[in-house]
mmCIF file of all heavy atoms in Angstrom:
data_model
loop_
_atom_site.group_PDB
_atom_site.id
_atom_site.type_symbol
_atom_site.label_atom_id
_atom_site.label_comp_id
_atom_site.label_asym_id
_atom_site.label_seq_id
_atom_site.Cartn_x
_atom_site.Cartn_y
_atom_site.Cartn_z
ATOM 1 N N ARG A 739 2.235 -24.033 15.911
ATOM 2 C CA ARG A 739 0.938 -24.259 15.279
ATOM 3 C C ARG A 739 -0.139 -23.468 16.009
ATOM 4 O O ARG A 739 0.085 -22.908 17.098
ATOM 5 C CB ARG A 739 0.584 -25.699 15.224
ATOM 6 C CG ARG A 739 0.275 -26.312 16.637
ATOM 7 C CD ARG A 739 -0.121 -27.816 16.586
ATOM 8 N NE ARG A 739 1.060 -28.578 16.227
ATOM 9 C CZ ARG A 739 1.224 -29.245 15.078
ATOM 10 N NH1 ARG A 739 0.189 -29.247 14.251
ATOM 11 N NH2 ARG A 739 2.216 -29.999 14.818
ATOM 12 N N TYR A 740 -1.343 -23.431 15.435
ATOM 13 C CA TYR A 740 -2.478 -22.844 16.088
ATOM 14 C C TYR A 740 -3.332 -23.952 16.671
ATOM 15 O O TYR A 740 -3.668 -24.879 15.906
ATOM 16 C CB TYR A 740 -3.296 -22.060 15.030
ATOM 17 C CG TYR A 740 -4.332 -21.128 15.529
ATOM 18 C CD1 TYR A 740 -3.969 -20.018 16.195
ATOM 19 C CD2 TYR A 740 -5.696 -21.429 15.381
ATOM 20 C CE1 TYR A 740 -4.925 -19.150 16.709
ATOM 21 C CE2 TYR A 740 -6.647 -20.566 15.838
ATOM 22 C CZ TYR A 740 -6.283 -19.397 16.531
ATOM 23 O OH TYR A 740 -7.231 -18.578 16.979
ATOM 24 N N SER A 741 -3.489 -23.981 17.949
ATOM 25 C CA SER A 741 -4.185 -25.011 18.644
ATOM 26 C C SER A 741 -5.425 -24.531 19.355
ATOM 27 O O SER A 741 -5.572 -23.335 19.590
ATOM 28 C CB SER A 741 -3.271 -25.732 19.748
ATOM 29 O OG SER A 741 -2.225 -26.368 19.087
ATOM 30 N N THR A 742 -6.318 -25.387 19.684
ATOM 31 C CA THR A 742 -7.515 -25.017 20.397
ATOM 32 C C THR A 742 -7.459 -25.527 21.849
ATOM 33 O O THR A 742 -7.022 -26.659 22.123
ATOM 34 C CB THR A 742 -8.816 -25.659 19.733
ATOM 35 O OG1 THR A 742 -8.734 -25.302 18.346
ATOM 36 C CG2 THR A 742 -10.110 -25.111 20.392
ATOM 37 N N GLN A 760 -13.575 -21.717 24.844
ATOM 38 C CA GLN A 760 -12.772 -22.562 23.994
ATOM 39 C C GLN A 760 -12.198 -21.640 22.917
ATOM 40 O O GLN A 760 -12.961 -21.050 22.158
ATOM 41 C CB GLN A 760 -13.649 -23.644 23.377
ATOM 42 C CG GLN A 760 -14.164 -24.626 24.474
ATOM 43 C CD GLN A 760 -15.073 -25.662 23.818
ATOM 44 O OE1 GLN A 760 -14.994 -25.945 22.649
ATOM 45 N NE2 GLN A 760 -15.876 -26.324 24.681
ATOM 46 N N LEU A 761 -10.959 -21.515 22.869
ATOM 47 C CA LEU A 761 -10.315 -20.518 22.040
ATOM 48 C C LEU A 761 -9.112 -21.051 21.336
ATOM 49 O O LEU A 761 -8.404 -21.993 21.872
ATOM 50 C CB LEU A 761 -9.761 -19.348 22.940
ATOM 51 C CG LEU A 761 -10.801 -18.619 23.742
ATOM 52 C CD1 LEU A 761 -10.103 -17.653 24.704
ATOM 53 C CD2 LEU A 761 -11.738 -17.793 22.882
ATOM 54 N N GLY A 762 -8.780 -20.538 20.206
ATOM 55 C CA GLY A 762 -7.575 -20.833 19.470
ATOM 56 C C GLY A 762 -6.476 -20.006 20.018
ATOM 57 O O GLY A 762 -6.604 -18.853 20.516
ATOM 58 N N VAL A 763 -5.233 -20.584 19.980
ATOM 59 C CA VAL A 763 -4.059 -19.909 20.498
ATOM 60 C C VAL A 763 -2.846 -20.450 19.805
ATOM 61 O O VAL A 763 -2.744 -21.617 19.466
ATOM 62 C CB VAL A 763 -3.961 -20.099 22.048
ATOM 63 C CG1 VAL A 763 -3.752 -21.505 22.459
ATOM 64 C CG2 VAL A 763 -2.907 -19.125 22.660
ATOM 65 N N TRP A 764 -1.815 -19.605 19.570
ATOM 66 C CA TRP A 764 -0.574 -20.047 18.971
ATOM 67 C C TRP A 764 0.278 -20.739 19.997
ATOM 68 O O TRP A 764 0.295 -20.348 21.169
ATOM 69 C CB TRP A 764 0.217 -18.826 18.439
ATOM 70 C CG TRP A 764 -0.476 -18.256 17.248
ATOM 71 C CD1 TRP A 764 -1.123 -16.968 17.214
ATOM 72 C CD2 TRP A 764 -0.561 -18.776 15.963
ATOM 73 N NE1 TRP A 764 -1.606 -16.762 15.968
ATOM 74 C CE2 TRP A 764 -1.265 -17.808 15.186
ATOM 75 C CE3 TRP A 764 -0.141 -19.920 15.321
ATOM 76 C CZ2 TRP A 764 -1.575 -18.079 13.778
ATOM 77 C CZ3 TRP A 764 -0.444 -20.188 14.014
ATOM 78 C CH2 TRP A 764 -1.155 -19.251 13.261
ATOM 79 N N ARG A 830 0.479 -13.609 21.628
ATOM 80 C CA ARG A 830 0.474 -13.678 20.148
ATOM 81 C C ARG A 830 -0.915 -13.787 19.590
ATOM 82 O O ARG A 830 -1.091 -13.979 18.371
ATOM 83 C CB ARG A 830 1.285 -14.870 19.673
ATOM 84 C CG ARG A 830 2.730 -14.759 20.047
ATOM 85 C CD ARG A 830 3.525 -15.957 19.488
ATOM 86 N NE ARG A 830 4.914 -15.875 19.881
ATOM 87 C CZ ARG A 830 5.789 -16.819 19.590
ATOM 88 N NH1 ARG A 830 5.499 -17.809 18.837
ATOM 89 N NH2 ARG A 830 7.045 -16.773 20.047
ATOM 90 N N THR A 831 -1.982 -13.735 20.460
ATOM 91 C CA THR A 831 -3.299 -13.958 20.019
ATOM 92 C C THR A 831 -4.304 -12.976 20.646
ATOM 93 O O THR A 831 -5.526 -13.176 20.510
ATOM 94 C CB THR A 831 -3.777 -15.353 20.330
ATOM 95 O OG1 THR A 831 -3.132 -15.819 21.471
ATOM 96 C CG2 THR A 831 -3.570 -16.328 19.250
ATOM 97 N N PHE A 832 -3.856 -11.868 21.284
ATOM 98 C CA PHE A 832 -4.828 -11.001 21.840
ATOM 99 C C PHE A 832 -5.408 -9.960 20.950
ATOM 100 O O PHE A 832 -6.421 -9.405 21.211
ATOM 101 C CB PHE A 832 -4.282 -10.422 23.185
ATOM 102 C CG PHE A 832 -3.362 -9.264 23.035
ATOM 103 C CD1 PHE A 832 -3.784 -7.950 23.092
ATOM 104 C CD2 PHE A 832 -1.976 -9.453 22.800
ATOM 105 C CE1 PHE A 832 -2.931 -6.898 22.945
ATOM 106 C CE2 PHE A 832 -1.152 -8.433 22.673
ATOM 107 C CZ PHE A 832 -1.653 -7.087 22.744
ATOM 108 N N LEU A 833 -4.716 -9.675 19.857
ATOM 109 C CA LEU A 833 -5.274 -8.746 18.894
ATOM 110 C C LEU A 833 -5.947 -9.576 17.735
ATOM 111 O O LEU A 833 -5.419 -10.588 17.340
ATOM 112 C CB LEU A 833 -4.119 -7.914 18.233
ATOM 113 C CG LEU A 833 -3.380 -7.036 19.237
ATOM 114 C CD1 LEU A 833 -2.162 -6.417 18.606
ATOM 115 C CD2 LEU A 833 -4.341 -5.877 19.699
ATOM 116 N N SER A 834 -7.111 -9.130 17.359
ATOM 117 C CA SER A 834 -7.899 -9.948 16.399
ATOM 118 C C SER A 834 -7.129 -10.215 15.095
ATOM 119 O O SER A 834 -7.283 -11.273 14.541
ATOM 120 C CB SER A 834 -9.244 -9.281 16.168
ATOM 121 O OG SER A 834 -9.103 -8.005 15.638
ATOM 122 N N TRP A 835 -6.278 -9.295 14.663
ATOM 123 C CA TRP A 835 -5.595 -9.531 13.388
ATOM 124 C C TRP A 835 -4.471 -10.610 13.515
ATOM 125 O O TRP A 835 -3.953 -11.052 12.491
ATOM 126 C CB TRP A 835 -4.942 -8.220 12.877
ATOM 127 C CG TRP A 835 -3.969 -7.555 13.683
ATOM 128 C CD1 TRP A 835 -4.186 -6.581 14.596
ATOM 129 C CD2 TRP A 835 -2.565 -7.893 13.797
ATOM 130 N NE1 TRP A 835 -2.997 -6.228 15.226
ATOM 131 C CE2 TRP A 835 -1.983 -7.025 14.739
ATOM 132 C CE3 TRP A 835 -1.757 -8.768 13.156
ATOM 133 C CZ2 TRP A 835 -0.634 -7.033 15.059
ATOM 134 C CZ3 TRP A 835 -0.384 -8.808 13.425
ATOM 135 C CH2 TRP A 835 0.119 -7.972 14.413
ATOM 136 N N GLN A 836 -4.175 -11.024 14.707
ATOM 137 C CA GLN A 836 -3.185 -12.063 14.885
ATOM 138 C C GLN A 836 -3.744 -13.493 14.730
ATOM 139 O O GLN A 836 -2.973 -14.443 14.775
ATOM 140 C CB GLN A 836 -2.579 -11.983 16.337
ATOM 141 C CG GLN A 836 -1.794 -10.678 16.594
ATOM 142 C CD GLN A 836 -1.426 -10.552 18.060
ATOM 143 O OE1 GLN A 836 -2.247 -10.711 18.952
ATOM 144 N NE2 GLN A 836 -0.072 -10.279 18.305
ATOM 145 N N LEU A 837 -5.048 -13.572 14.560
ATOM 146 C CA LEU A 837 -5.711 -14.844 14.418
ATOM 147 C C LEU A 837 -5.924 -15.266 13.025
ATOM 148 O O LEU A 837 -6.221 -14.357 12.160
ATOM 149 C CB LEU A 837 -7.027 -14.791 15.201
ATOM 150 C CG LEU A 837 -6.950 -14.323 16.648
ATOM 151 C CD1 LEU A 837 -8.331 -14.169 17.211
ATOM 152 C CD2 LEU A 837 -6.157 -15.301 17.482
ATOM 153 N N PRO A 838 -5.989 -16.517 12.670
ATOM 154 C CA PRO A 838 -6.293 -16.972 11.336
ATOM 155 C C PRO A 838 -7.756 -16.750 10.966
ATOM 156 O O PRO A 838 -8.073 -16.603 9.803
ATOM 157 C CB PRO A 838 -6.038 -18.457 11.330
ATOM 158 C CG PRO A 838 -5.702 -18.915 12.678
ATOM 159 C CD PRO A 838 -5.530 -17.630 13.521
ATOM 160 N N TYR A 839 -8.624 -16.665 11.977
ATOM 161 C CA TYR A 839 -10.012 -16.343 11.785
ATOM 162 C C TYR A 839 -10.429 -15.337 12.902
ATOM 163 O O TYR A 839 -10.137 -15.604 14.105
ATOM 164 C CB TYR A 839 -10.900 -17.549 11.837
ATOM 165 C CG TYR A 839 -12.361 -17.220 11.920
ATOM 166 C CD1 TYR A 839 -13.072 -16.783 10.817
ATOM 167 C CD2 TYR A 839 -13.044 -17.311 13.098
ATOM 168 C CE1 TYR A 839 -14.418 -16.447 10.868
ATOM 169 C CE2 TYR A 839 -14.427 -17.012 13.232
ATOM 170 C CZ TYR A 839 -15.053 -16.551 12.042
ATOM 171 O OH TYR A 839 -16.384 -16.200 12.140
ATOM 172 N N ASN A 840 -11.146 -14.264 12.534
ATOM 173 C CA ASN A 840 -11.629 -13.379 13.581
ATOM 174 C C ASN A 840 -12.998 -12.857 13.141
ATOM 175 O O ASN A 840 -13.111 -12.147 12.179
ATOM 176 C CB ASN A 840 -10.658 -12.268 13.916
ATOM 177 C CG ASN A 840 -10.297 -11.373 12.727
ATOM 178 O OD1 ASN A 840 -11.056 -11.280 11.763
ATOM 179 N ND2 ASN A 840 -9.188 -10.721 12.819
ATOM 180 N N PRO A 841 -14.006 -13.133 13.959
ATOM 181 C CA PRO A 841 -15.386 -12.622 13.694
ATOM 182 C C PRO A 841 -15.317 -11.106 13.705
ATOM 183 O O PRO A 841 -14.551 -10.500 14.461
ATOM 184 C CB PRO A 841 -16.156 -13.165 14.808
ATOM 185 C CG PRO A 841 -15.420 -14.315 15.421
ATOM 186 C CD PRO A 841 -13.995 -13.964 15.200
ATOM 187 N N LYS A 842 -16.168 -10.484 12.906
ATOM 188 C CA LYS A 842 -16.264 -9.008 12.853
ATOM 189 C C LYS A 842 -16.616 -8.383 14.251
ATOM 190 O O LYS A 842 -16.206 -7.278 14.533
ATOM 191 C CB LYS A 842 -17.230 -8.533 11.859
ATOM 192 C CG LYS A 842 -16.729 -8.828 10.403
ATOM 193 C CD LYS A 842 -17.619 -8.229 9.430
ATOM 194 C CE LYS A 842 -17.361 -8.783 8.081
ATOM 195 N NZ LYS A 842 -16.588 -8.182 7.135
ATOM 196 N N LYS A 843 -17.305 -9.191 15.080
ATOM 197 C CA LYS A 843 -17.688 -8.645 16.378
ATOM 198 C C LYS A 843 -16.494 -8.466 17.275
ATOM 199 O O LYS A 843 -16.546 -7.726 18.291
ATOM 200 C CB LYS A 843 -18.695 -9.552 17.050
ATOM 201 C CG LYS A 843 -18.216 -10.893 17.439
ATOM 202 C CD LYS A 843 -19.373 -11.711 18.066
ATOM 203 C CE LYS A 843 -18.868 -13.145 18.326
ATOM 204 N NZ LYS A 843 -19.940 -13.949 18.958
ATOM 205 N N TRP A 844 -15.305 -9.111 16.987
ATOM 206 C CA TRP A 844 -14.128 -8.911 17.790
ATOM 207 C C TRP A 844 -13.397 -7.678 17.188
ATOM 208 O O TRP A 844 -12.502 -7.727 16.451
ATOM 209 C CB TRP A 844 -13.192 -10.095 17.710
ATOM 210 C CG TRP A 844 -13.734 -11.316 18.350
ATOM 211 C CD1 TRP A 844 -14.844 -11.443 19.093
ATOM 212 C CD2 TRP A 844 -13.115 -12.622 18.338
ATOM 213 N NE1 TRP A 844 -15.048 -12.721 19.516
ATOM 214 C CE2 TRP A 844 -13.951 -13.506 19.069
ATOM 215 C CE3 TRP A 844 -11.978 -13.094 17.777
ATOM 216 C CZ2 TRP A 844 -13.724 -14.805 19.230
ATOM 217 C CZ3 TRP A 844 -11.685 -14.457 17.929
ATOM 218 C CH2 TRP A 844 -12.547 -15.280 18.693
ATOM 219 N N LYS A 845 -13.848 -6.559 17.564
ATOM 220 C CA LYS A 845 -13.297 -5.259 17.068
ATOM 221 C C LYS A 845 -11.969 -4.945 17.698
ATOM 222 O O LYS A 845 -11.887 -4.306 18.750
ATOM 223 C CB LYS A 845 -14.297 -4.148 17.324
ATOM 224 C CG LYS A 845 -15.618 -4.373 16.543
ATOM 225 C CD LYS A 845 -16.560 -3.174 16.760
ATOM 226 C CE LYS A 845 -17.805 -3.193 16.068
ATOM 227 N NZ LYS A 845 -18.403 -4.218 15.472
ATOM 228 N N GLY A 846 -10.887 -5.353 17.076
ATOM 229 C CA GLY A 846 -9.580 -5.027 17.499
ATOM 230 C C GLY A 846 -8.914 -6.066 18.429
ATOM 231 O O GLY A 846 -7.752 -6.287 18.344
ATOM 232 N N TYR A 847 -9.716 -6.669 19.343
ATOM 233 C CA TYR A 847 -9.161 -7.566 20.337
ATOM 234 C C TYR A 847 -9.844 -8.882 20.280
ATOM 235 O O TYR A 847 -11.089 -9.023 20.043
ATOM 236 C CB TYR A 847 -9.358 -6.978 21.720
ATOM 237 C CG TYR A 847 -8.613 -5.684 21.887
ATOM 238 C CD1 TYR A 847 -9.265 -4.448 21.879
ATOM 239 C CD2 TYR A 847 -7.226 -5.691 22.136
ATOM 240 C CE1 TYR A 847 -8.595 -3.273 22.024
ATOM 241 C CE2 TYR A 847 -6.558 -4.483 22.309
ATOM 242 C CZ TYR A 847 -7.220 -3.267 22.278
ATOM 243 O OH TYR A 847 -6.527 -2.124 22.347
ATOM 244 N N SER A 848 -9.139 -9.926 20.579
ATOM 245 C CA SER A 848 -9.693 -11.275 20.685
ATOM 246 C C SER A 848 -10.060 -11.464 22.193
ATOM 247 O O SER A 848 -9.713 -10.717 23.077
ATOM 248 C CB SER A 848 -8.675 -12.311 20.320
ATOM 249 O OG SER A 848 -7.817 -12.653 21.380
ATOM 250 N N PRO A 849 -10.791 -12.522 22.494
ATOM 251 C CA PRO A 849 -11.111 -12.813 23.946
ATOM 252 C C PRO A 849 -9.917 -12.966 24.866
ATOM 253 O O PRO A 849 -10.029 -12.750 26.053
ATOM 254 C CB PRO A 849 -11.938 -14.125 23.871
ATOM 255 C CG PRO A 849 -12.525 -14.094 22.484
ATOM 256 C CD PRO A 849 -11.456 -13.474 21.617
ATOM 257 N N TRP A 850 -8.680 -13.280 24.261
ATOM 258 C CA TRP A 850 -7.518 -13.434 25.075
ATOM 259 C C TRP A 850 -7.154 -12.067 25.775
ATOM 260 O O TRP A 850 -6.431 -12.023 26.792
ATOM 261 C CB TRP A 850 -6.358 -13.911 24.299
ATOM 262 C CG TRP A 850 -6.447 -15.327 24.014
ATOM 263 C CD1 TRP A 850 -6.683 -15.952 22.786
ATOM 264 C CD2 TRP A 850 -6.247 -16.456 24.896
ATOM 265 N NE1 TRP A 850 -6.676 -17.326 22.882
ATOM 266 C CE2 TRP A 850 -6.412 -17.652 24.225
ATOM 267 C CE3 TRP A 850 -5.986 -16.549 26.260
ATOM 268 C CZ2 TRP A 850 -6.353 -18.896 24.793
ATOM 269 C CZ3 TRP A 850 -5.851 -17.733 26.866
ATOM 270 C CH2 TRP A 850 -6.059 -18.927 26.135
#
Side-chain angles (χ1 to χ4, degrees):
R739 69 180 69 247
Y740 194 70
S741 293
T742 307
Q760 296 179 19
L761 302 169
V763 65
W764 291 108
R830 295 183 186 180
T831 30
F832 78 94
L833 296 171
S834 59
W835 62 264
Q836 295 172 309
L837 306 173
Y839 168 76
N840 60 22
K842 291 185 193 263
K843 66 181 178 181
W844 293 355
K845 295 181 177 20
Y847 298 100
S848 84
W850 285 108

